[in-house]
């Protein structure tokens, strides 16, 4: 990452609440072609989240603790705050002298932008302002939120306006929290009737895939872009009697992850 930071734009996309099993199944069936094109080998990497609900997972990830590979470690990190005794800071890790990644990247000359999705990014309360407050620029509106059937389209339109207003030589770190997978998601499934299910969860991912190529095209329009696409946590739809997240179940802890470089002009 020491060769990436300072030369590439950076994109972090969290597909909020996306389950690994649903993501892997749709990938295997060819139902999410844009993500399949982007991910190395056309496959998700299976990882464990650092937190079982949005705030906890994002507080960790925005401090450099991305989801961890399920194989035995230690696993070197891409980004790490300076911390004596860290066993996951390696020679290839980009180390920043700050408490969070956006602040560290800002000190390295990046313009940092948050486009929020779920309620922890809505800036309507002190708690909803905490994570967006790490960024130099942040955006949220109800049209980006969990009840909007066109949330990702609206978020990408916002990102387009931000990129258009940025000097060409200014490096960009863009963070997008995609809300479409989070409950309620029944309106993404044609056969649903106000009931969220694993099937409507999958339909929401297919909706995301139909539009995420536009985000990749935008972020590769200026220069090479290093991208991370991951879930922050999964969610339960009745497994072992559990519904939702903020609980310790396999469908919550296990998340899909991918990192890749978007070559300049490679997405049209």
């Amino acid at each position: 990452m020491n060769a990436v930071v300072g030369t590439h734009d950076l994109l972090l996309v969290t597909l909020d609440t996306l389950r690994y099993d649903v993501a892997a199944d749709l990938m295997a069936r060819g139902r999410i072609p844009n993500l399949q094109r982007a991910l190395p080998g056309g496959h998700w990497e299976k990882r464990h989240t650092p937190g079982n609900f949005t705030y906890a997972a994002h507080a960790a990830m925005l401090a450099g603790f991305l989801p961890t590979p399920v194989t035995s470690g230690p696993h070197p990190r891409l980004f790490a705050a300076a911390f004596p005794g860290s066993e996951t800071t390696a020679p290839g890790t980009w180390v920043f002298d700050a408490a969070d990644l956006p602040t560290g990247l800002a000190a390295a000359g990046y313009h940092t932008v948050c486009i929020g999705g779920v309620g922890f990014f809505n800036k309507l309360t002190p708690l909803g302002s905490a994570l967006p407050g790490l960024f130099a620029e942040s955006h949220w509106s109800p049209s980006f939120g969990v009840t909007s059937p066109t949330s990702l389209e609206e978020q990408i339109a916002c990102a387009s306006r931000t990129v258009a207003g940025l000097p060409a030589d200014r490096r960009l770190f863009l963070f997008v929290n995609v809300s479409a997978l989070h409950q309620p998601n029944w309106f993404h499934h044609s056969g649903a009737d106000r009931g969220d299910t694993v099937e409507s969860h999958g339909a929401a991912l297919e909706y995301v895939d139909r539009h995420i190529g536009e985000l990749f095209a935008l972020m590769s329009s200026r220069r090479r872009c290093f991208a991370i696409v991951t879930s922050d946590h999964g969610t339960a739809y009745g497994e072992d009697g559990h519904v939702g997240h903020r609980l310790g179940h396999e469908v919550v802890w296990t998340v899909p992850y991918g990192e890749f470089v978007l070559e300049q002009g490679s997405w049209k």
Side-chain angles (χ1 to χ4, degrees):
M1 291 308 296
N2 292 302
V4 170
V5 175
T7 62
H8 294 52
D9 283 345
L10 304 173
L11 173 66
L12 173 59
V13 177
T14 54
L15 303 177
D16 203 290
T17 315
L18 176 59
R19 289 169 49 140
Y20 174 80
D21 58 348
V22 173
D25 174 64
L26 289 182
M27 187 74 77
R29 292 194 286 130
R31 300 295 295 270
I32 45 175
N34 284 308
L35 286 164
Q36 190 159 30
R37 172 186 168 188
L39 292 171
H43 298 287
W44 293 105
E45 183 181 351
K46 188 177 186 178
R47 292 201 174 196
H48 287 148
T49 176
N52 65 3
F53 72 109
T54 299
Y55 187 84
H58 282 84
M61 287 193 283
L62 292 175
F65 297 96
L66 295 167
T68 307
V70 297
T71 54
S72 59
H75 299 284
R77 286 185 286 144
L78 298 179
F79 312 97
F83 188 82
S86 170
E87 295 184 352
T88 54
T89 302
T93 304
W94 186 72
V95 179
F96 53 92
D97 189 18
D100 60 86
L101 180 60
T103 300
L105 288 171
Y110 279 79
H111 182 56
T112 63
V113 180
C114 167
I115 299 179
V118 305
F120 285 110
F121 299 93
N122 64 20
K123 302 196 292 183
L124 299 178
T125 65
L127 180 58
S129 302
L131 294 171
L134 302 176
F135 294 80
E137 179 181 340
S138 62
H139 302 274
W140 187 87
S141 83
S143 66
F144 301 171
V146 297
T147 61
S148 171
T150 58
S151 58
L152 184 55
E153 295 150 87
E154 299 290 344
Q155 289 177 303
I156 293 171
C158 177
S160 296
R161 293 189 292 270
T162 293
V163 169
L166 196 64
D169 61 349
R170 185 75 187 275
R171 300 293 186 266
L172 171 64
F173 170 46
L174 177 65
F175 163 72
V176 183
N177 172 251
V178 176
S179 68
L181 285 303
H182 195 286
Q183 295 96 325
N185 53 47
W186 59 268
F187 43 77
H188 290 293
H189 190 260
S190 59
D193 183 19
R194 296 185 177 273
D196 297 326
T197 63
V198 172
E199 290 73 25
S200 63
H201 187 85
L205 181 56
E206 291 185 76
Y207 159 74
V208 168
D209 188 78
R210 287 196 294 273
H211 297 282
I212 201 165
E214 301 164 35
L215 181 61
F216 295 158
L218 176 68
M219 288 301 293
S220 60
S221 65
R222 307 171 75 244
R223 60 178 58 82
R224 298 179 88 197
C225 175
F226 183 84
I228 298 167
V229 178
T230 184
S231 174
D232 57 341
H233 57 79
T235 198
Y237 289 96
E239 291 83 2
D240 299 313
H242 296 293
V243 176
H245 36 274
R246 203 163 57 84
L247 53 93
H249 193 280
E250 177 68 15
V251 297
V252 175
W253 285 115
T254 310
V255 296
Y257 176 94
E259 60 185 56
F260 46 91
V261 172
L262 296 166
E263 297 291 345
Q264 185 174 5
S266 59
W267 285 75
K268 300 294 186 181

